Amino acid sequence: MTIREEAEVELTHPEKVLFPDADVTKEDLADYYHAVAPYMLPYVKHRPLVLVRCPSGIESNCFFQKHPGQSIPKLPRQMIKEKGKSADYALVESENDLIRLVQANVLEVHAWGSSAEAIEKPDQFIIDLDPGEGVKFSDCMSASYLVRDFLSELELVS
């Protein structure tokens, strides 16, 4: 059974290739979110999101979107006051919301470190260890263990 048969969200053009180097389609990404939703949702649920959208796949014209307006239908929203102005941010509350992001060609999801109800009180942070050009992935993994051990010394859970 595919994600399109289980979810309430219908994917248009499920065969669209989003990551050509890996031959990953829109449906493949939806299936991935279906598989990881129980693990991902606790870290992104009800947190304002900044999205990277790539309407034609990862290799062309991607853009950051902080304020989605109505470009992603049925996605939960939160008005957040920033610098004296209110701004609309997307949220996810369920697996179906993750699939709605796939439908909108969102290829990266960046969650705030705070929840929508406690915007001024972050309760998590992300250390992004992307291997740069010429850096082996195994070196990046070694760095992640060093970070984990350091955080453990500070009695922080990673």
Side-chain angles (χ1 to χ4, degrees), residues 45-153:
K45 189 175 183 178
H46 208 65
R47 292 177 182 276
L49 304 176
V50 176
L51 310 170
V52 176
R53 296 182 66 188
C54 304
S56 298
I58 194 70
E59 293 185 339
S60 66
N61 299 330
C62 297
F63 59 94
F64 278 92
Q65 189 169 21
K66 287 174 66 174
H67 313 294
Q70 293 306 312
S71 63
I72 306 175
K74 298 184 182 177
L75 200 63
R77 314 252 184 241
Q78 177 76 31
M79 294 302 284
I80 296 172
K81 200 165 204 164
E82 288 183 307
K83 299 177 184 173
K85 296 180 184 176
S86 290
D88 185 30
Y89 280 85
L91 307 173
V92 293
E93 301 295 336
S94 67
E95 180 182 327
N96 280 323
D97 292 335
L98 291 172
I99 305 309
R100 284 183 183 93
L101 294 176
V102 175
Q103 173 58 22
N105 300 299
V106 172
L107 301 189
E108 291 182 28
V109 178
H110 300 268
W112 282 28
S114 55
S115 67
E117 16 334 279
I119 233 49
E120 298 294 330
K121 295 181 180 179
D123 59 357
Q124 70 181 18
F125 66 94
I126 296 169
I127 298 173
D128 191 357
L129 298 173
D130 290 332
E133 196 171 316
V135 177
K136 292 186 236 167
F137 187 72
S138 60
D139 291 338
C140 195
M141 286 178 53
S142 295
S144 72
Y145 292 126
L146 290 171
V147 169
R148 179 198 61 195
D149 293 346
F150 177 71
L151 291 173
S152 181
E153 288 175 23

